[in-house]
Amino acid sequence: MACTGGGSNAMGIFHPFIEEDVDLFAVEAGGSGMKVTDKEALHSATLCSGEEGILHGMHTKVLQNKYGQILESSSIAAGLDYAGVGPELAYLADTGRLKPCNSMDAEALDAFNDLCRLEGIIPALESSHAVAYVKKAASTGELGDVVVINLSGRGDKDLETVMGMRK
Amino acid sequence: MKISDKFNELKKKKKGALIAYICAGDPSPDATKEYVTALVRGGADIIELGLPFSDPTADGPTIQAGIERALNGGMTPDVYFRTAGSLKVHIPLVVMTYYNIIFKRGLEKFVKDCAASGISGIIVPDLPPEESGELAGFCNKNDVDLIFLVAPTTTDERLKRILTEGKGFIYLVARLGVTGARADVAESTRALIKRVKTTTPKAVGFGISNGKQAAEIIRSGADGVIVGSAFVDIIASGKDVPARLEALAKDLKEGAAQG
């Protein structure tokens, strides 16, 4: 279970498990909703809703409009706020090897608070998306007995954002 | 008009070419028609008409702003080809855009649209030659030139390939970084012009903004200069645009012609 923007931490943790009998979840940023206009997306969920394109030298999935203009993506987590995704992840999603899913801004914030309160660990807002998805998926039965969350970053850097949201 | 015909014509007169870039639709499609006419009056030999892309990674702040104005003004690939097709100019037109715009439209359709609207060359700064085979195939079939860029950092191996496959002219990137007007001509520019040995015309872009620089570039052995940001700056000012575009084109053309 790993948060996925461009997907570097996700691909890092998935890589040793690709050939193993392990479910892989790429948790993208659902932002404030899956709505998309001609210019912007309220989310950054490229694996979930992007289309084939070319961005920054990669042939991958891209958030774009019908003319190929790149959409302005959105997320509470700056590290997930990207209109593209690593091509290896796009491939694994297309072949069905990994499951693309997403957590909304508000869900990530809740998960951030939970982990701070219950474990004394401040997760990065990016990683909080993965924690949030585990919370949701725990009740739907799609998870096995052992779940690994890649807590890819610490949230000290995000305290200002989170405190600001609380006011 | 074919790009090679234009360069041959200039070669006979021993004159350097002025390739003038503006972004189509900046700030409106109608303005583009007027501005292209002004550039041609000023002496532009080839018009490089940008097809705006939201993430122009090779362009500096000046052209980025022009692209934004164009997108806000409603420029799309459909409008672009209509606009290009309606230009009444008798010099070559070249499209400069990024690969996702071409990919999304469909490679073959894009090239056919170029041919149908009088565009004789395509520049794609984010398409490496190693990945260009498919587009080059459609270009060859439709008699459209696929123009490649060479930078000071281009390796010898890649340069060899570009010189073999490049059509129209070779676009020499004068300096590292993005587009934008500069005051001087870098030593590395002269070195690059010397390094690129080919019978295909060589045109130098990135940073050229006046006739003096243009003359210096041509004297150093280039066949043409490409100027964009200096024109786009004039468009951005919104003041007396056609007359000033024409005057700058004239200055650059005089420099290129005497160089």
Side-chain angles (χ1 to χ4, degrees):
Chain A
M1 189 77 62
C3 65
T4 306
S8 52
N9 95 83
M11 204 54 235
I13 192 89
F14 290 166
H15 190 264
F17 298 103
I18 290 175
E19 307 288 328
E20 307 291 323
D21 183 21
V22 173
D23 293 331
L24 307 173
F25 293 82
V27 188
E28 302 193 295
S32 52
M34 292 306 282
K35 212 181 140 213
V36 166
T37 69
D38 218 28
K39 285 196 165 166
E40 58 185 5
L42 295 181
H43 60 86
S44 308
T46 313
L47 289 173
C48 291
S49 76
E51 289 168 9
E52 193 181 344
I54 287 123
L55 177 65
H56 300 146
M58 297 181 291
H59 184 171
T60 182
K61 288 182 191 292
V62 177
L63 297 176
Q64 56 184 320
N65 72 13
K66 64 176 172 176
Y67 297 116
Q69 305 293 359
I70 308 304
L71 303 181
E72 190 68 47
S73 58
S74 170
S75 170
I76 192 176
L80 302 184
D81 195 350
Y82 183 51
V85 65
E88 211 173 351
L89 288 159
Y91 171 76
L92 292 175
D94 273 353
T95 57
R97 178 63 190 92
L98 69 73
K99 185 185 171 189
C101 48
N102 60 80
S103 300
M104 312 275 290
D105 284 348
E107 293 169 333
L109 266 176
D110 281 347
F112 177 98
N113 289 333
D114 287 346
L115 211 62
C116 288
R117 216 179 53 242
L118 300 173
E119 299 289 345
I121 297 170
I122 311 175
L125 279 175
E126 288 78 10
S127 322
S128 300
H129 284 71
V131 179
Y133 193 78
V134 172
K135 278 176 62 188
K136 284 193 282 187
S139 57
T140 63
E142 63 178 315
L143 301 180
D145 294 336
V146 180
V147 176
V148 177
I149 300 175
N150 192 26
L151 213 57
S152 52
R154 44 193 287 167
D156 309 49
K157 68 180 180 62
D158 296 316
L159 287 178
E160 210 178 311
T161 309
V162 174
M163 302 305 256
M165 307 277 299
R166 281 189 181 167
K167 273 173 199 161
Chain B
M1 187 182 191
K2 293 255 334 161
I3 295 168
S4 53
D5 291 344
K6 177 47 97 177
F7 274 103
N8 287 337
E9 175 193 316
L10 289 167
K11 206 169 180 184
K12 275 186 205 137
K13 296 185 200 161
K14 294 200 160 65
K15 286 181 173 174
L18 169 60
I19 302 170
Y21 168 96
I22 60 171
C23 180
D26 172 19
S28 72
D30 282 340
T32 298
K33 291 183 201 172
E34 195 187 348
Y35 297 166
V36 167
T37 312
L39 291 169
V40 174
R41 264 202 316 270
D45 298 300
I46 295 174
I47 298 289
E48 182 187 333
L49 200 54
L51 166 51
F53 175 53
S54 55
D55 288 49
T57 38
D59 287 302
T62 304
I63 291 179
Q64 277 179 31
I67 286 172
E68 207 174 318
R69 288 191 297 273
L71 288 174
N72 290 336
M75 183 46 73
T76 67
D78 293 332
V79 178
Y80 179 91
F81 287 116
R82 271 205 301 280
T83 307
S86 71
L87 292 173
K88 290 178 185 62
V89 294
H90 303 288
I91 58 172
L93 284 176
V94 170
V95 56
M96 195 277 212
T97 193
Y98 290 81
Y99 198 49
N100 199 47
I101 298 290
I102 301 173
F103 181 79
K104 189 74 181 173
R105 194 169 184 84
L107 271 50
E108 183 167 23
K109 179 168 166 48
F110 187 92
V111 175
K112 283 187 165 163
D113 287 341
C114 286
S117 52
I119 292 166
S120 45
I122 303 180
I123 302 171
V124 197
D126 67 340
L127 178 66
E130 292 83 353
E131 303 288 339
S132 68
E134 209 181 342
L135 184 62
F138 291 121
C139 284
N140 290 340
K141 242 185 254 167
N142 292 280
D143 203 18
V144 172
D145 293 330
L146 185 56
I147 296 157
F148 288 110
L149 292 90
V150 172
T153 45
T154 300
T155 59
D156 286 339
E157 196 187 349
R158 187 178 261 183
L159 177 62
K160 214 167 133 189
R161 180 173 182 155
I162 290 172
L163 295 184
T164 316
E165 296 175 13
K167 298 275 166 60
F169 60 87
I170 305 292
Y171 191 136
L172 305 192
V173 176
R175 47 183 95 216
L176 300 181
V178 292
T179 57
R182 313 285 207 294
D184 59 326
V185 173
E187 190 49 49
S188 60
T189 306
R190 279 186 282 269
L192 184 63
I193 296 171
K194 283 209 180 64
R195 186 176 152 221
V196 177
K197 293 187 190 5
T198 168
T199 51
T200 310
K202 298 183 274 189
V204 178
F206 283 45
I208 301 163
S209 61
N210 60 53
K212 197 168 152 267
Q213 285 173 312
E216 214 177 321
I217 299 270
I218 299 297
R219 261 202 307 276
S220 306
D223 304 288
V225 292
I226 307 165
V227 179
S229 296
F231 290 123
V232 176
D233 268 333
I234 293 175
I235 295 175
S237 77
K239 283 181 203 131
D240 207 11
V241 177
R244 288 170 61 210
L245 289 177
E246 184 180 340
L248 178 60
K250 201 157 173 269
D251 173 45
L252 287 159
K253 179 61 198 176
E254 276 166 12
Q258 59 172 253

Short mmCIF file of all heavy atoms in Angstrom, two decimals, chain B residues 189-219:
data_model
loop_
_atom_site.label_atom_id
_atom_site.label_comp_id
_atom_site.label_asym_id
_atom_site.label_seq_id
_atom_site.Cartn_x
_atom_site.Cartn_y
_atom_site.Cartn_z
N THR B 189 27.94 29.25 -28.88
CA THR B 189 27.11 29.27 -30.08
C THR B 189 27.99 29.13 -31.32
O THR B 189 27.72 28.33 -32.22
CB THR B 189 26.33 30.60 -30.16
OG1 THR B 189 25.61 30.77 -28.95
CG2 THR B 189 25.37 30.58 -31.33
N ARG B 190 29.07 29.93 -31.34
CA ARG B 190 29.99 29.86 -32.49
C ARG B 190 30.61 28.47 -32.59
O ARG B 190 30.75 27.91 -33.68
CB ARG B 190 31.08 30.93 -32.35
CG ARG B 190 30.59 32.30 -32.81
CD ARG B 190 31.74 33.31 -32.81
NE ARG B 190 32.02 33.77 -31.46
CZ ARG B 190 31.45 34.85 -30.92
NH1 ARG B 190 30.59 35.56 -31.61
NH2 ARG B 190 31.73 35.20 -29.69
N ALA B 191 30.94 27.90 -31.43
CA ALA B 191 31.55 26.56 -31.41
C ALA B 191 30.57 25.53 -31.98
O ALA B 191 30.95 24.65 -32.75
CB ALA B 191 31.96 26.19 -29.99
N LEU B 192 29.30 25.69 -31.63
CA LEU B 192 28.29 24.72 -32.10
C LEU B 192 28.11 24.83 -33.61
O LEU B 192 28.01 23.81 -34.30
CB LEU B 192 26.96 24.97 -31.37
CG LEU B 192 25.84 23.99 -31.67
CD1 LEU B 192 26.22 22.58 -31.23
CD2 LEU B 192 24.53 24.40 -31.01
N ILE B 193 28.08 26.06 -34.12
CA ILE B 193 27.91 26.25 -35.56
C ILE B 193 29.05 25.55 -36.30
O ILE B 193 28.85 24.90 -37.33
CB ILE B 193 27.88 27.75 -35.92
CG1 ILE B 193 26.65 28.42 -35.29
CG2 ILE B 193 27.85 27.95 -37.44
CD1 ILE B 193 26.62 29.93 -35.38
N LYS B 194 30.28 25.67 -35.75
CA LYS B 194 31.44 25.02 -36.39
C LYS B 194 31.34 23.51 -36.31
O LYS B 194 31.70 22.79 -37.23
CB LYS B 194 32.72 25.49 -35.70
CG LYS B 194 33.11 26.89 -36.14
CD LYS B 194 34.62 27.09 -36.07
CE LYS B 194 34.97 28.49 -36.53
NZ LYS B 194 34.39 29.52 -35.60
N ARG B 195 30.83 23.02 -35.17
CA ARG B 195 30.81 21.58 -34.92
C ARG B 195 29.82 20.85 -35.84
O ARG B 195 30.06 19.71 -36.24
CB ARG B 195 30.42 21.35 -33.45
CG ARG B 195 30.50 19.91 -33.04
CD ARG B 195 30.21 19.75 -31.55
NE ARG B 195 29.65 18.44 -31.33
CZ ARG B 195 28.65 18.16 -30.52
NH1 ARG B 195 28.08 19.12 -29.81
NH2 ARG B 195 28.21 16.93 -30.40
N VAL B 196 28.73 21.51 -36.15
CA VAL B 196 27.69 20.86 -36.96
C VAL B 196 28.04 21.01 -38.44
O VAL B 196 27.88 22.09 -39.02
CB VAL B 196 26.31 21.47 -36.65
CG1 VAL B 196 25.24 20.85 -37.54
CG2 VAL B 196 25.95 21.25 -35.18
N LYS B 197 28.53 19.92 -39.02
CA LYS B 197 28.93 19.96 -40.42
C LYS B 197 27.91 19.20 -41.26
O LYS B 197 27.76 18.00 -41.13
CB LYS B 197 30.32 19.34 -40.58
CG LYS B 197 31.43 20.16 -39.91
CD LYS B 197 32.77 19.57 -40.24
CE LYS B 197 33.94 20.15 -39.47
NZ LYS B 197 33.74 21.10 -38.43
N THR B 198 27.20 19.94 -42.13
CA THR B 198 26.13 19.33 -42.91
C THR B 198 25.79 20.20 -44.11
O THR B 198 26.08 21.40 -44.11
CB THR B 198 24.87 19.14 -42.04
OG1 THR B 198 23.77 18.81 -42.89
CG2 THR B 198 24.50 20.43 -41.30
N THR B 199 25.16 19.57 -45.09
CA THR B 199 24.70 20.35 -46.24
C THR B 199 23.28 20.86 -45.99
O THR B 199 22.80 21.72 -46.72
CB THR B 199 24.70 19.49 -47.52
OG1 THR B 199 24.00 18.28 -47.23
CG2 THR B 199 26.12 19.17 -47.95
N THR B 200 22.60 20.31 -44.97
CA THR B 200 21.28 20.83 -44.59
C THR B 200 21.49 22.21 -43.97
O THR B 200 22.44 22.41 -43.21
CB THR B 200 20.63 19.90 -43.55
OG1 THR B 200 20.70 18.56 -44.02
CG2 THR B 200 19.18 20.26 -43.29
N PRO B 201 20.63 23.18 -44.30
CA PRO B 201 20.81 24.52 -43.71
C PRO B 201 20.79 24.48 -42.18
O PRO B 201 20.08 23.68 -41.58
CB PRO B 201 19.60 25.30 -44.24
CG PRO B 201 19.17 24.57 -45.46
CD PRO B 201 19.50 23.13 -45.23
N LYS B 202 21.59 25.35 -41.57
CA LYS B 202 21.66 25.44 -40.11
C LYS B 202 21.06 26.76 -39.66
O LYS B 202 21.47 27.82 -40.14
CB LYS B 202 23.13 25.41 -39.65
CG LYS B 202 23.86 24.13 -39.99
CD LYS B 202 25.27 24.15 -39.44
CE LYS B 202 26.24 24.82 -40.40
NZ LYS B 202 27.65 24.65 -39.97
N ALA B 203 20.11 26.71 -38.79
CA ALA B 203 19.51 27.93 -38.25
C ALA B 203 19.70 27.94 -36.74
O ALA B 203 19.55 26.92 -36.08
CB ALA B 203 18.03 28.01 -38.61
N VAL B 204 20.06 29.11 -36.22
CA VAL B 204 20.38 29.22 -34.80
C VAL B 204 19.28 29.98 -34.06
O VAL B 204 18.85 31.05 -34.50
CB VAL B 204 21.72 29.96 -34.60
CG1 VAL B 204 22.03 30.12 -33.12
CG2 VAL B 204 22.85 29.21 -35.30
N GLY B 205 18.82 29.40 -32.97
CA GLY B 205 17.79 30.06 -32.16
C GLY B 205 18.14 30.05 -30.69
O GLY B 205 19.18 29.50 -30.29
N PHE B 206 17.34 30.65 -29.88
CA PHE B 206 17.46 30.80 -28.42
C PHE B 206 18.37 32.01 -28.12
O PHE B 206 19.58 31.90 -28.14
CB PHE B 206 18.03 29.55 -27.72
CG PHE B 206 17.03 28.42 -27.53
CD1 PHE B 206 16.20 28.04 -28.56
CD2 PHE B 206 16.92 27.74 -26.32
CE1 PHE B 206 15.29 27.00 -28.41
CE2 PHE B 206 16.01 26.69 -26.16
CZ PHE B 206 15.20 26.32 -27.20
N GLY B 207 17.76 33.14 -27.85
CA GLY B 207 18.52 34.28 -27.35
C GLY B 207 18.83 35.40 -28.33
O GLY B 207 19.44 36.39 -27.96
N ILE B 208 18.42 35.24 -29.60
CA ILE B 208 18.75 36.29 -30.58
C ILE B 208 17.64 37.34 -30.61
O ILE B 208 16.45 37.00 -30.68
CB ILE B 208 18.91 35.67 -31.98
CG1 ILE B 208 20.01 34.61 -31.94
CG2 ILE B 208 19.23 36.75 -33.01
CD1 ILE B 208 20.00 33.68 -33.11
N SER B 209 18.01 38.62 -30.53
CA SER B 209 16.97 39.64 -30.45
C SER B 209 17.23 40.88 -31.29
O SER B 209 16.39 41.76 -31.36
CB SER B 209 16.76 40.06 -28.99
OG SER B 209 17.96 40.60 -28.48
N ASN B 210 18.40 40.98 -31.95
CA ASN B 210 18.63 42.18 -32.78
C ASN B 210 19.49 41.87 -34.00
O ASN B 210 20.08 40.79 -34.11
CB ASN B 210 19.27 43.30 -31.95
CG ASN B 210 20.61 42.89 -31.37
OD1 ASN B 210 21.50 42.44 -32.09
ND2 ASN B 210 20.75 43.02 -30.05
N GLY B 211 19.52 42.84 -34.92
CA GLY B 211 20.21 42.66 -36.19
C GLY B 211 21.71 42.42 -36.04
O GLY B 211 22.30 41.66 -36.80
N LYS B 212 22.29 43.05 -35.03
CA LYS B 212 23.73 42.90 -34.81
C LYS B 212 24.07 41.45 -34.46
O LYS B 212 25.01 40.86 -35.01
CB LYS B 212 24.15 43.84 -33.66
CG LYS B 212 25.62 44.09 -33.59
CD LYS B 212 25.94 45.26 -32.64
CE LYS B 212 27.33 45.08 -32.05
NZ LYS B 212 27.32 44.38 -30.74
N GLN B 213 23.26 40.88 -33.56
CA GLN B 213 23.48 39.47 -33.21
C GLN B 213 23.26 38.58 -34.44
O GLN B 213 23.99 37.62 -34.67
CB GLN B 213 22.49 39.03 -32.13
CG GLN B 213 22.79 39.55 -30.74
CD GLN B 213 21.65 39.20 -29.80
OE1 GLN B 213 20.49 39.42 -30.13
NE2 GLN B 213 21.98 38.64 -28.66
N ALA B 214 22.21 38.91 -35.20
CA ALA B 214 21.87 38.09 -36.37
C ALA B 214 23.04 38.08 -37.34
O ALA B 214 23.44 37.02 -37.84
CB ALA B 214 20.62 38.64 -37.05
N ALA B 215 23.64 39.26 -37.57
CA ALA B 215 24.77 39.35 -38.49
C ALA B 215 25.94 38.50 -37.97
O ALA B 215 26.60 37.80 -38.73
CB ALA B 215 25.20 40.81 -38.63
N GLU B 216 26.17 38.56 -36.67
CA GLU B 216 27.27 37.81 -36.07
C GLU B 216 27.07 36.30 -36.24
O GLU B 216 28.02 35.57 -36.54
CB GLU B 216 27.32 38.17 -34.58
CG GLU B 216 28.73 38.18 -34.02
CD GLU B 216 28.72 38.61 -32.56
OE1 GLU B 216 27.94 39.52 -32.19
OE2 GLU B 216 29.48 38.00 -31.79
N ILE B 217 25.82 35.86 -36.06
CA ILE B 217 25.51 34.43 -36.19
C ILE B 217 25.73 33.97 -37.63
O ILE B 217 26.32 32.92 -37.88
CB ILE B 217 24.03 34.17 -35.80
CG1 ILE B 217 23.79 34.56 -34.34
CG2 ILE B 217 23.62 32.74 -36.10
CD1 ILE B 217 24.00 33.49 -33.33
N ILE B 218 25.26 34.75 -38.57
CA ILE B 218 25.41 34.37 -39.98
C ILE B 218 26.90 34.38 -40.36
O ILE B 218 27.37 33.48 -41.06
CB ILE B 218 24.61 35.33 -40.89
CG1 ILE B 218 23.11 35.28 -40.56
CG2 ILE B 218 24.84 35.00 -42.37
CD1 ILE B 218 22.43 33.96 -40.79
N ARG B 219 27.62 35.39 -39.88
CA ARG B 219 29.06 35.46 -40.15
C ARG B 219 29.79 34.24 -39.61
O ARG B 219 30.77 33.79 -40.18
CB ARG B 219 29.66 36.72 -39.51
CG ARG B 219 29.84 37.87 -40.49
CD ARG B 219 30.87 38.89 -40.02
NE ARG B 219 30.62 39.37 -38.67
CZ ARG B 219 29.76 40.38 -38.39
NH1 ARG B 219 29.11 40.99 -39.35
NH2 ARG B 219 29.58 40.75 -37.15
#
